[in-house]
Amino acid sequence: MWSSSSSSSSSPSSSRLSFSSGVLAYSGTLANPQRSSEERVYEVVLKQAALVREQRISREEKKDLELSEPIERDGTTNWDLLNEAYDRCGEVCAEYAKTFYLGTLLMTPERRKAIWAIYVWCRRTDELVDGPNAPHITPKALDRWENRLTDLFEGRPFDMYDAALCHTVSAYPVDIQPFKDMIEGMRLDLRKSRYKNFDELYLYCYYVAGTVGLMSVPVMGIAPESKASAESVYNAALALGIANQLTNILRDVGEE
């Protein structure tokens, strides 16, 4: 949807982006505070794509995440615990997302386990505002959940499921921002139920669904021989997530 373009009048601290709608946006120090939701989300896409480019290594140079080696800590092996953590994530995925689970079986074992870990974190996050304890969830509870997310990205998992995701984000170029943005979507669920225009709705759909695509692409990977740019792959994943959420909303309108 977007493509980069250069301009001789642009300063080094900003980049000019051209949109298919003809709207121009600037990222960097000259950012317009009145940017649309699409422009704001695209900045996240650019960051994720940059991470993949930095760590993109051909399959000949690097194998998938190696899980055959035991992990040593204080002279003891905790590989069995980590393996069990991934297996538990797989069980949750198989129980609550049967079709999705079958799709993950087509992946390599290491990528499959990493996707299970991401799925479980997303499900647990959604359950905070849409599960049996939702009436008791407060903004402070979501703040604590975000602090816990930061801890696991820094290598301090709280429980078994966190440990699986902690291992995943240390092995793949997964950035924390899409995870934080999903939590922001849960905050919106607590305080807002109506959106006055599509721009607001687009941002909400990104928070609760588009983020999943950005989390998953680093694990699923981009084939070394692919001629597609990292930005275009991330844009496609983002668009798929937003389309799924819009479809869910339309389905719910019919039911309600």
Side-chain angles (χ1 to χ4, degrees):
M1 182 175 181
W2 298 277
S3 60
S4 297
S5 63
S6 60
S7 171
S8 58
S9 62
S10 298
S11 68
S13 60
S14 68
S15 60
R16 193 176 187 183
L17 308 174
S18 61
F19 292 72
S20 59
S21 61
V23 179
L24 292 178
Y26 290 84
S27 63
T29 57
L30 300 181
N32 184 342
Q34 301 302 319
R35 293 171 302 163
S36 71
S37 293
E38 288 183 274
E39 293 168 317
R40 293 161 61 189
V41 170
Y42 189 53
E43 289 190 357
V44 181
V45 169
L46 288 177
K47 181 180 179 183
Q48 309 312 302
L51 285 173
V52 168
R53 280 197 300 270
E54 291 169 4
Q55 299 190 32
R56 191 174 180 182
I57 303 174
S58 69
R59 291 174 182 172
E60 291 76 20
E61 295 173 335
K62 182 180 180 181
K63 297 179 181 179
D64 282 341
L65 172 61
E66 292 287 350
L67 296 181
S68 58
E69 293 296 325
I71 299 173
E72 298 289 338
R73 185 175 182 180
D74 298 329
T76 61
T77 300
N78 61 2
W79 161 242
D80 289 339
L81 291 176
L82 182 60
N83 214 11
E84 182 182 353
Y86 276 120
D87 288 344
R88 291 280 293 276
C89 289
E91 291 170 3
V92 173
C93 186
E95 180 176 356
Y96 294 101
K98 293 179 174 59
T99 303
F100 177 75
Y101 174 78
L102 291 176
T104 65
L105 298 182
L106 300 175
M107 302 177 185
T108 63
E110 290 73 26
R111 293 178 189 272
R112 176 191 313 156
K113 291 176 179 179
I115 289 295
W116 289 345
I118 291 173
Y119 168 81
V120 168
W121 185 88
C122 291
R123 178 173 180 81
R124 296 174 84 186
T125 301
D126 182 69
E127 284 287 294
L128 291 174
V129 298
D130 200 28
N133 294 321
H136 309 292
I137 294 298
T138 65
K140 286 187 177 181
L142 292 177
D143 291 343
R144 289 193 294 271
W145 185 248
E146 184 168 348
N147 291 336
R148 181 166 157 176
L149 171 70
T150 300
D151 284 343
L152 77 83
F153 263 82
E154 294 177 354
R156 300 187 300 274
F158 181 78
D159 63 12
M160 181 175 287
Y161 298 118
D162 283 357
L165 183 59
C166 179
H167 188 244
T168 291
V169 302
S170 70
Y172 295 97
V174 180
D175 185 56
I176 195 173
Q177 192 59 51
F179 294 82
K180 287 187 172 183
D181 287 344
M182 177 172 279
I183 295 174
E184 187 60 30
M186 303 305 111
R187 291 190 178 100
L188 283 178
D189 277 336
L190 290 183
R191 67 175 185 264
K192 192 169 185 175
S193 60
R194 298 185 67 85
Y195 295 87
K196 63 182 180 181
N197 53 46
F198 185 76
D199 189 67
E200 287 190 357
L201 181 60
Y202 179 93
L203 188 59
Y204 172 75
C205 290
Y206 159 69
Y207 281 150
V208 301
T211 49
V212 178
L214 303 189
M215 298 172 191
S216 303
V217 169
V219 174
M220 294 182 177
I222 302 173
E225 66 274 13
S226 173
K227 292 182 172 56
S229 67
E231 288 91 342
S232 67
V233 173
Y234 271 98
N235 271 329
L238 171 67
L240 178 60
I242 291 175
N244 283 336
Q245 184 61 27
L246 288 172
T247 302
N248 288 340
I249 292 171
L250 291 173
R251 181 196 61 193
D252 291 343
V253 168
E255 292 179 355
E256 296 174 359

